[in-house]
Amino acid sequence: MNLSSELAKTLAFTFRNITTVRRNVFQIAEIFYWPFITLLSIGFMLAFLKPGGRDTAVVMSGVVALSVLQTCQLDVAYVLLFDMWSKCLKHTLVAPIGRRHYLIGSWIVGIFRGTATFLILAFFIRWVFHFDIFKAGIEATVRFWAGLMVSGLIIGMLTTVSLYTFGWRAEIVPWSIVSVLLLICGIYYPIEVLPAYMHQISRLVPLTLFLEDYRASFGMPSFPGAAERGFVLSGIYFGITYGLLILAERRAKRTGLFLKMSE
């Protein structure tokens, strides 16, 4: 394997995503507009309810998690969505590149945009609502950030599998999948408020564990070794999702789905 060739192919998709994002004001708004609207709506609700510091940490960490995760996973999904919308998917697939190139290349952009969203929200949360996201400590904050980035990659891969399987009908998946996670992962509340039978199901999702690990710094109960278990589960899910991606790609080639989504 030629390292320079691998790097060039991967960064080619990074450059393509950056170029597309730079020319599209709506994708720039994903970093600023929607996270900011979410922050203000939730933040003013907290100002009205006047919860304690621990409860504020739970909700604000959820605001950050939801916004950062959505930004990161969309970048991974965009690499194929752009091709579908422009009907040139077959050109990408016949190019001398592999799945790893477009996944990692697009994820790099997701990491940069997700980190920008994270820092912007942290600044405004401290400035407007006087709550410091980094009060949890550098180690806990970095684990939280890393968990969001890894989760974004896996969710983006699931979106890719859906696109390979259902074609145009799966366009809604990138925007809806995070909303589903919002319900079971305790984005704005600890999972203890969920029905008892949901607790173990919720803890099978790495995002739940990353949130628990971060919130433990503010006095919330946490699953022992939550972050470590979250990264282990993420590795398992990555392997499973990558296998599904291979199968979905082969099926799409066999059924002619790629040609139907191309000119």
Side-chain angles (χ1 to χ4, degrees):
M1 182 181 294
N2 190 313
L3 183 58
S4 60
S5 175
E6 288 290 304
L7 184 61
K9 291 176 181 178
T10 300
L11 293 181
F13 283 95
T14 301
F15 178 75
R16 191 182 76 162
N17 270 31
I18 290 175
T19 302
T20 306
V21 168
R22 187 178 57 191
R23 295 178 178 178
N24 192 328
V25 66
F26 295 105
Q27 288 170 22
I28 296 176
E30 288 169 359
I31 303 178
F32 300 99
Y33 182 75
W34 293 117
F36 193 62
I37 292 297
T38 302
L39 170 62
L40 290 181
S41 61
I42 298 297
F44 288 137
M45 180 188 70
L46 288 177
F48 170 71
L49 296 175
K50 295 182 174 59
R54 189 179 72 165
D55 295 336
T56 299
V58 169
V59 177
M60 285 302 183
S61 62
V63 171
V64 173
L66 182 63
S67 299
V68 172
L69 190 61
Q70 184 77 325
T71 301
C72 184
Q73 68 93 11
L74 276 176
D75 276 301
V76 179
Y78 275 150
V79 72
L80 291 182
L81 281 172
F82 289 149
D83 286 342
M84 287 179 55
W85 291 332
S86 59
K87 296 186 177 181
C88 64
L89 183 59
K90 66 181 180 182
H91 300 292
T92 297
L93 296 174
V94 300
I97 53 95
R99 304 170 199 89
R100 61 189 179 278
H101 299 125
Y102 64 74
L103 287 175
I104 297 176
S106 58
W107 186 43
I108 291 173
V109 181
I111 290 175
F112 278 112
R113 295 215 309 153
T115 302
T117 302
F118 190 98
L119 295 176
I120 290 169
L121 286 176
F123 170 77
F124 278 105
I125 288 172
R126 183 171 184 176
W127 181 40
V128 180
F129 300 107
H130 311 292
F131 180 79
D132 187 3
I133 288 293
F134 297 99
K135 190 177 180 181
I138 295 299
E139 290 186 11
T141 305
V142 169
R143 287 197 303 269
F144 183 45
W145 167 85
L148 294 177
M149 297 300 110
V150 172
S151 297
L153 172 62
I154 296 172
I155 293 173
M157 290 172 64
L158 283 174
T159 300
T160 303
V161 172
S162 300
L163 294 173
Y164 280 168
T165 304
F166 303 106
W168 299 103
R169 292 173 292 174
E171 284 184 292
I172 192 62
V173 172
W175 291 272
S176 60
I177 192 169
V178 174
S179 299
V180 175
L181 290 177
L182 182 150
L183 297 176
I184 64 174
C185 293
I187 291 287
Y188 295 132
Y189 43 78
I191 63 171
E192 282 72 24
V193 305
L194 296 172
Y197 67 88
M198 288 290 295
H199 293 178
Q200 293 306 316
I201 297 175
S202 180
R203 286 198 172 100
L204 291 176
V205 182
L207 179 60
T208 303
L209 298 168
F210 296 135
L211 283 166
E212 284 195 356
D213 177 73
Y214 176 78
R215 291 166 176 171
S217 302
F218 295 92
M220 293 297 295
S222 174
F223 189 88
E228 291 77 7
R229 181 176 177 178
F231 286 116
V232 170
L233 282 176
S234 296
I236 295 172
Y237 293 157
F238 175 85
I240 294 173
T241 308
Y242 194 81
L244 292 175
L245 181 61
I246 294 173
L247 295 175
E249 183 179 315
R250 290 175 179 172
R251 179 182 178 276
K253 289 179 179 178
R254 187 175 64 253
T255 59
L257 181 62
F258 288 150
L259 293 179
K260 294 176 183 177
M261 295 189 293
S262 304
E263 289 183 343

